[in-house]
Amino acid sequence: MKVALVGIGKIAVDQHVPAIANSDDWELSATVSRNGSVEGVPAFTDLGEMLSAHPEVRVVSLCLPPVPRFDSAMQALRAGRHVMLEKPPGATIAECHALDAAAREAGLTIYATWHSRHADMVAAAKDWLAKRRLRRMTVTWKEDVRRWHPGQAWIWEPGGLGVFDPGINALSIVTEILPDDIHVASAELDVPSNCQTPIGARIAFHHPKGAEVTATFDWRQDGDQIWRIEAETDDGTLTLADGGAVMAVDGTPTGTAAPLSGEYPRLYAEMAALVTKGRRDMDLRPMVLATDALALGRRIATDPFHD
Ligand code: NAP
């Protein structure tokens, strides 16, 4: 299947290009980006021009930041192309519903990808939790923003999500592995005085069966980077560490890794399957939790942030 990549920035270069290059299912036919390109691949700066010049491109994979993504996604759908969306699938929930409706009406696939759900041990953790009663879940996502998002101004602008940009990865795993739906009960947001989005967040969730579920996201982490979910149950404690790559029960490593190797090869395999079956996948639960935390969260002004 021929695919075009739109928005040649960090994630396109780090993950999408190699995942496509190493797959027998996919061929990168074109890129659309104002400044970026991929060696040996026809490069465009305008999406409309690419769509006209490459009618054989069946899938457009959007790696733009969330705010500019809607217009490009709608343009691709109107041109009859299947669409794959980086996380988060849009800047607002209504936008995502509009894209899903447009895809449905046109008989096209749209896939809101959540790459962290495809980390090695997420499926194994889901299986393990399905058979147990949850008492407490503690989510800790602490990383150094300067290391992972150097020079990315959009993350601090409205719609950029701030620390929820990585935090939504944790929420995508939580909503995947928990058998019951949770919702935000309260939140505190640390917002640098010169930014529009939070650098830290603490969230408490309501769990329908009374488990205590909390999350801490922080972008000011020095030293060890932490992407960990701990779930205490009536039959042991599960730890999902390194963003879902490592699983342990009561401290003992366990679980079998998902098939294929790597989150992005799994995403592209899933997209190929969705297109082949004529299906859509627009699960907005992580987005609902993030936007509700931003709506409900008490804002605490903190030191200005300078990259
Ligand atoms: P990035 O490095 O800033 O790249 C985004 C690209 O989109 C830019 O290089 C830019 O390319 C293009 N773009 C078009 N309109 C833009 C605008 N208004 N503002 C900024 N860039 C614009 O960002 P990224 O880290 O790749 O993230 C892109 C998406 O992938 C985000 O939704 C993010 O959450 C997700 N993601 C990122 C990572 C990660 O580790 N970085 C991991 C997983 C998912 P041109 O200037 O050439 O047009």
Side-chain angles (χ1 to χ4, degrees):
M1 218 166 329
K2 293 186 193 311
V3 59
L5 277 181
V6 181
I8 305 300
K10 187 172 188 313
I11 199 61
V13 170
D14 288 357
Q15 298 290 345
H16 289 255
V17 171
I20 293 167
N22 293 327
S23 166
D24 292 337
D25 291 336
W26 295 94
E27 182 185 328
L28 182 58
S29 289
T31 61
V32 182
S33 209
R34 297 163 306 183
N35 304 294
S37 61
V38 175
E39 206 184 326
V41 178
F44 294 78
T45 52
D46 181 80
L47 177 58
E49 282 174 22
M50 187 282 292
L51 291 167
S52 304
H54 287 275
E56 81 286 3
V57 165
R58 292 179 66 201
V59 173
V60 174
S61 181
L62 296 173
C63 308
L64 302 163
V67 169
R69 199 168 310 133
F70 173 78
D71 289 344
S72 299
M74 202 50 107
Q75 195 178 353
L77 290 170
R78 289 199 173 125
R81 316 306 167 88
H82 307 289
V83 167
M84 190 166 163
L85 301 165
E86 250 301 349
K87 50 76 24 175
T92 69
I93 291 175
E95 253 179 36
C96 299
H97 285 310
L99 291 175
D100 195 33
R104 187 183 62 235
E105 280 160 27
L108 293 165
T109 291
I110 190 159
Y111 181 22
T113 66
W114 298 106
H115 65 87
S116 292
R117 286 184 174 173
H118 294 272
D120 282 358
M121 293 300 175
V122 170
K126 179 178 182 166
D127 283 351
W128 191 88
L129 276 174
K131 303 176 196 95
R132 290 163 174 94
R133 188 178 173 85
L134 185 71
R135 288 191 181 134
R136 181 177 296 120
M137 177 172 270
T138 309
V139 179
T140 310
W141 235 246
K142 293 186 176 181
E143 60 176 50
D144 178 358
V145 64
R146 290 185 177 88
R147 180 161 153 196
W148 302 102
H149 296 274
Q152 292 184 345
W154 61 266
I155 55 178
W156 301 112
E157 293 298 323
L161 288 187
V163 77
F164 283 83
D165 180 77
I168 207 167
N169 297 336
L171 299 176
S172 75
I173 297 177
V174 168
T175 47
E176 175 68 14
I177 64 178
L178 274 185
D180 300 293
D181 280 338
I182 56 171
H183 62 260
V184 174
S186 64
E188 281 181 349
L189 310 170
D190 302 329
V191 184
S193 57
N194 60 343
C195 298
Q196 297 289 324
T197 58
I199 196 165
R202 293 160 297 284
I203 312 160
F205 300 90
H206 176 268
H207 182 271
K209 294 174 185 157
E212 186 186 312
V213 182
T214 57
T216 303
F217 304 152
D218 209 309
W219 250 348
R220 296 162 291 195
Q221 179 76 358
D222 289 329
D224 284 351
Q225 308 290 287
I226 305 171
W227 301 283
R228 189 175 58 225
I229 297 172
E230 228 168 48
E232 190 185 313
T233 74
D234 58 350
D235 181 29
T237 297
L238 169 91
T239 305
L240 204 47
D242 294 353
V246 175
M247 172 174 160
V249 172
D250 295 331
T252 305
T254 183
T256 307
L260 269 177
S261 178
E263 296 175 13
Y264 282 78
R266 291 176 188 129
L267 286 183
Y268 275 93
E270 179 63 15
M271 182 65 184
L274 288 170
V275 172
T276 304
K277 292 177 196 155
R279 292 180 55 194
R280 308 185 316 282
D281 184 345
M282 181 66 98
D283 179 5
L284 297 180
R285 287 175 298 160
M287 181 102 176
V288 169
L289 295 180
T291 54
D292 281 1
L294 289 167
L296 200 58
R298 178 172 297 280
R299 280 160 173 73
I300 300 164
T302 57
D303 293 344
F305 175 81
H306 299 288
D307 212 348

